[in-house]
Each structure stands twice: as C-alpha cells, then as structure tokens.
Amino acid sequence: MSNAAFLSYRRDASGHLCLALAQFLQQAGIDVFFDIDSIRQGRFDEIILDEIDARPYFLPVLAQGTLDRCVNDGDWVRREIEHALELGRTIVPIITHQFEWSDIDRFLPADTAKQFARWNGVEIPKSLRQFKYAAQDLLSYLVPITADADLDHGPVPKSRQQDVDAIAAHIASAPEVSDALLDANEEFERGVTAIDEARFADALLAFDAVLVADPENVSARLSRAGALAELGRDVESKAEHDRAFGMDPTGEIAGDYFTGAIARNERSAWARVGRGLALATADRVDDAIADFEAAIEIDPENDLAVFNLGATLADAGDLEAALPYFDWAINLDPNSAYHWAVRGSTLLAMGDDAGAAGDFEAAIAIDPRNPWIYTFRAQGLVELDEPEAALEDLDLAVELEPENPAHRSDRAHVRWSVDDVDGAVDDLDALLLADPGDVDALRLRGEIARHVEDFD
C-alpha cells in the first residue's frame, strides 16, 4: 500500500530534469528514490535493486541519449528496466519531446524492448522548462495511499533505510533546479541528435551551451571533443579530451559514454579512439588496441588512432612495435607537436639520443608553449640520469601551465632526487593546497619528513 516511486535516468542526459521531477513529486507527497553519488560508495547494485523492489512505481526518464548505452549487458539503466519488468512494476515513462521512440528497439534487447514499449507514459511538451505539465499528469498515474490500495512491492530492508532517508533529505535540501540547468539537459539532447545527423557545427554549439551551465558534465566534454574532431579541429579536440579524462581519471565514464556513441554509429572512428583511450586508462591494453585498430580500419588517415595505438604499445613496454606507429602518425600530421614529442621520448628510451633531440626540437619549433613537450623530455632525461637538465625543462613546464599538477609533481620528485628538500617541499605544499587528498604528494611529503627527522 504505497505510491512510492523509483526514478531511473541517465545522468548526463537528464540528471537535472530528474532532480526537478523528484522535487515536484516529493512536494506532492510521493516517496521518490533515485541514485546519487553518495550511495555509490556502498553496495550500489544491491541498493538500487532493493529500492526498485520496494516501490510499486518505476519511472524511467527517457531523453535523447538515455538508451544508447543499454547495448551493454551491465549498463545500469538497462538493468533497472529489466529488473522492474521482471518484478512486474507499474512503469510510467517520462518522455522528453526530443526522445526517439525507435531507440527502444534500437538499443534494448528485443524481448525487453517489446515489454517496455507496451507502457504508456507522459510527455514533456516542447521545452524541459514545462516539465511540471508532465509531472502533473504523472500524479494521475500514482495511486493515493489508501487502505484499499493494493500494489505489489517488497519491504525496504532496514539496512537500506539510511540510504532512503539520505535521498529524501537530498531532494528536500537541494536548491530548486534552475531553468539554465534544464536548458543544459535540453541542449545535451539537441547535441546528441545533431551528431546522429552529422551536423557537427550544430552539435558543437549545443555542447558549448551545456558546458556553460554544467561544466562538470564529462559526457558533454567528450561529445564536444568529438564534434571538434569531425570538424577537423584536432588540437582543440585533444585538449577537450584531456579535460574530460582529467575529470574521469579511471576512464569509467568515458568508456560508458563511448560505448553508447559506437552503438549510435558503429562507423565512428572518433568514438573508437575515445573508447580505446578509456580502455587504455583502465589497463585493458588488448581491448584498447582492438578499438584503435578498428578506428584505423574505418579511417586510415586518422592520425589520433594511429598515434594512440603506438602510445598504448609503448606504455605496455613494446617500444619497437610502437615506433612505426609514431612514424605513421607524424607522416599523417607533421604539424602535431605532441606526435613529435612522444616519439622523441620513445627514441630517448631506446637510446637514440640524437634522434630524440631532433624530435624534441621539431616539437618545440611547432609549439614552443606546449608544457608537455618539456615534461616528456624531462622524463626521458631522468631515465638517462640527467636530473639537472630535466629540472630546467620541468621549470618551463610549470611556468607554462602552473595549474596542472602533473608538471609540479614530476618536479617535486626530481628535486627530491637531487636533495633539494626545500624545493621539493614547496612543490608538494602547492599540490596539497590544491588537492589535500593527493595520495602521491602525501606519500612523498611523509618520506621527506621522515628523512629530515632522521637527519636531525
């Protein structure tokens, strides 16, 4: 006897809309649950499945880009839908006006799609700012709590009550979702549609608009990188990729996102490269290589696919195998300072000092203000036991990009290796000021503190 509801959604496509719906439903007296970051710290899978079991209503938010990743067996939106169908929950889809109904058959397994498509839903007309019209219609589907209400659902496990209370408190205390954030969700949908239709300039405008209101949206950054790549703006595309992966250090969000992008367009070399990078970040080397090879088969002129295949081989320790790919990448794009610099690092590691020096000079001539050129050369110089020369390059890298912790971290380690305790501590203090949880900085700071204590 409950009108409790579970909201299912794709965070990047409809996260703000979902919170707005949850706030509306809670204010209308509906016990509503949806996942937030804090519950991902525990047994996330058990919590989600238990909450679907405990609530008679399952409310999937269907926006453009919601279902594409459901091609994966382990995708959570798919698992939620399948679990709700298996339990016989009352399903009321909440549909944005940009959602394509064909996505149900396109991305869900056939049996799941057939069952799911039977359910009627409510549609948000024209603009997400008008979501309250659909939410008001939604209330007519939800049975009031009465003595004779008879809807199937299980109990909320006592161990989960804390999570339920936390969600309710989050919904109640969160600021009302602004029109700007609802517009960001709508622009994300518009961008997905534009990429589907190969309107990459329009997609770029849409994802630019998303990031103004929602700069932490990793998928929007990856989508923007893709639009830039398709428009031939490779340097900007790589910079956006780097920003996105900086926000997603494990590559989990990116891998999930690019699997969806491949589902939408199997012949997208850009999406294959992106997923390859995510897989390489997760140390799934063979899978990453397979994606880069697939991208090259689709587009043999894609220098980023060729380069990243070489980089993955080099990271795995196979420098001999990597080198021809770096040669190929430079041949495809001789104006990429990054290609020259990474081949220079590889040659340095292989003992070809003269070849490496020439590559680094070429990279610097192309882009003298690229800090990574100096960091790559410094890393090679450290391996050659030339720390003083490495420090000169790292000083330049930090000067050019002081906000990037990677350059300062490398410099702290090299300073410590030459007994420049004060310099190393200065770098580590700066790192910890920016990120008090920086594990590597904390470890080295502790090592230095113990050394100084022993010396005293």
Side-chain angles (χ1 to χ4, degrees), residues 366-385:
I366 293 167
D367 188 3
R369 296 193 61 76
N370 185 326
W372 285 103
I373 298 171
Y374 304 103
T375 291
F376 288 151
R377 185 164 68 178
Q379 291 168 349
L381 290 167
V382 168
E383 293 298 319
L384 294 173
D385 198 23

Side-chain angles (χ1 to χ4, degrees), residues 276 279 284-295 308-309 312-313 316:
L279 291 166
R284 293 172 55 184
V285 174
D286 291 342
D287 292 334
I289 288 172
D291 264 342
F292 295 134
E293 288 176 339
N308 281 298
L309 177 50
T312 302
L313 290 167

Side-chain angles (χ1 to χ4, degrees), residues 10-330:
R10 182 78 65 189
R11 189 163 308 205
D12 50 19
S14 58
H16 302 301
L17 172 61
C18 185
L19 177 57
L21 287 165
Q23 290 173 330
F24 180 94
L25 292 173
Q26 187 184 69
Q27 290 167 9
I30 306 299
D31 175 11
V32 61
F33 184 97
F34 70 108
D35 77 277
I36 58 175
D37 286 335
S38 63
I39 68 169
R40 292 173 180 261
Q41 297 169 4
R43 294 299 303 274
F44 169 70
D45 53 347
E46 292 181 5
I47 295 170
I48 292 299
L49 299 180
D50 283 346
E51 289 306 319
I52 295 173
D53 185 29
R55 294 158 191 279
Y57 290 101
F58 181 78
L59 313 177
V61 181
L62 301 182
Q64 185 73 313
T66 294
L67 297 182
D68 50 13
R69 281 158 262 184
C70 290
V71 294
N72 283 343
D73 289 344
D75 177 74
W76 264 104
V77 171
R78 172 174 162 179
R79 288 186 66 183
E80 290 167 4
I81 291 171
E82 290 176 337
H83 193 60
L85 288 168
E86 182 183 341
L87 292 172
R89 293 292 168 263
T90 298
I91 298 175
V92 188
I94 303 163
I95 306 140
T96 71
H97 71 283
Q98 294 190 66
F99 176 71
E100 296 286 345
W101 279 98
S102 59
D103 281 2
I104 294 175
D105 291 321
R106 184 180 177 190
F107 299 123
L108 287 171
D111 288 347
T112 303
K114 184 177 180 181
Q115 293 181 65
F116 187 60
R118 292 173 179 164
W119 291 96
N120 293 322
V122 296
E123 184 168 349
I124 300 173
K126 296 183 180 178
S127 167
L128 295 189
R129 294 188 184 194
Q130 298 176 332
F131 79 93
K132 290 184 180 179
Y133 291 104
Q136 194 66 48
D137 288 343
L138 180 62
L139 291 178
S140 66
Y141 284 83
L142 305 181
V143 176
I145 301 175
T146 63
D148 55 356
D150 185 20
L151 292 169
D152 183 35
H153 64 93
V156 177
K158 291 182 179 179
S159 60
R160 301 283 178 251
Q161 191 59 49
Q162 184 177 354
D163 298 310
V164 174
D165 293 342
I167 297 294
H170 172 77
I171 295 169
S173 64
E176 183 177 354
V177 177
S178 67
D179 285 347
L181 290 175
L182 291 171
D183 290 347
N185 274 174
E186 193 155 7
E187 289 293 343
F188 187 92
E189 292 188 85
R190 195 167 285 125
V192 171
T193 300
I195 285 182
D196 261 4
E197 298 173 354
R199 294 184 290 107
F200 301 113
D202 291 339
L204 185 59
L205 290 173
F207 292 119
D208 282 346
V210 174
L211 292 169
V212 169
D214 189 7
E216 302 300 311
N217 190 321
V218 174
S219 295
R221 291 202 175 278
L222 293 169
S223 299
R224 185 176 188 274
L228 287 165
E230 297 288 358
L231 291 168
R233 293 161 62 177
D234 290 342
V235 173
E236 294 169 86
S237 175
K238 183 187 181 305
E240 195 65 89
H241 261 292
D242 289 347
R243 280 190 285 270
F245 274 88
M247 298 161 65
D248 177 31
T250 67
E252 182 179 358
I253 297 173
D256 186 44
Y257 167 81
F258 283 117
T259 295
I262 292 167
R264 300 195 81 87
N265 180 7
E266 292 184 354
R267 300 294 294 172
S268 170
W270 154 76
R272 293 281 180 182
V273 172
R275 190 171 68 176
L277 286 169
L279 291 166
T281 301
D283 291 327
R284 293 172 55 184
V285 174
D286 291 342
D287 292 334
I289 288 172
D291 264 342
F292 295 134
E293 288 176 339
I296 293 168
E297 185 274 325
I298 293 166
D299 179 11
E301 302 295 307
N302 190 311
D303 65 291
L304 292 177
V306 173
F307 170 81
N308 281 298
L309 177 50
T312 302
L313 290 167
D315 287 343
D318 196 346
L319 302 183
E320 292 285 353
L323 195 57
Y325 289 103
F326 294 142
D327 295 343
W328 185 4
I330 289 171

